[in-house]
Amino acid sequence: MELSYDPIWDESGELRRGCTVREALAWLTRFGGRTAGEPVMINGVVYKVGHLLYDPERPDVADKPIAHVFDGYYHQLNFSV
């Protein structure tokens, strides 16, 4: 599987404008070794990746653009939107 486009980071290593939480998580589960059962923290609230990607009742935060990516403990994903 070829890694041709990174929706999170642009060519200069900057956060790509407009990338939503759901787009980032879909890419990370496909290419980044993340799973649907892992936790992700968004604006201080913990969600499961699968809930944000696949649940028809997913929270609105899943479709918001990412404003900042934080480095988390034990490789936990942390975003602010």
Side-chain angles (χ1 to χ4, degrees), residues 17-58:
R17 288 182 158 305
C19 177
T20 66
V21 169
R22 193 158 39 133
E23 288 172 323
L25 294 177
W27 188 84
L28 287 168
T29 56
R30 185 167 183 196
F31 296 109
R34 300 296 180 153
T35 65
E38 287 186 60
V40 58
M41 185 175 291
I42 303 167
N43 294 342
V45 178
V46 177
Y47 301 92
K48 292 286 185 185
V49 170
H51 178 60
L52 294 168
L53 287 177
Y54 309 118
D55 192 335
E57 304 275 327
R58 72 180 144 262

Side-chain angles (χ1 to χ4, degrees), residues 40-80:
V40 58
M41 185 175 291
I42 303 167
N43 294 342
V45 178
V46 177
Y47 301 92
K48 292 286 185 185
V49 170
H51 178 60
L52 294 168
L53 287 177
Y54 309 118
D55 192 335
E57 304 275 327
R58 72 180 144 262
D60 292 338
V61 73
D63 294 314
K64 295 199 182 272
I66 297 169
H68 191 76
V69 177
F70 297 95
D71 215 2
Y73 294 110
Y74 306 110
H75 303 284
Q76 181 181 8
L77 297 170
N78 292 284
F79 301 123
S80 67

Side-chain angles (χ1 to χ4, degrees), residues 5-17:
Y5 174 75
D6 181 343
I8 305 167
W9 306 106
D10 66 15
E11 295 77 21
S12 64
E14 297 295 319
L15 185 63
R16 195 176 296 277
R17 288 182 158 305

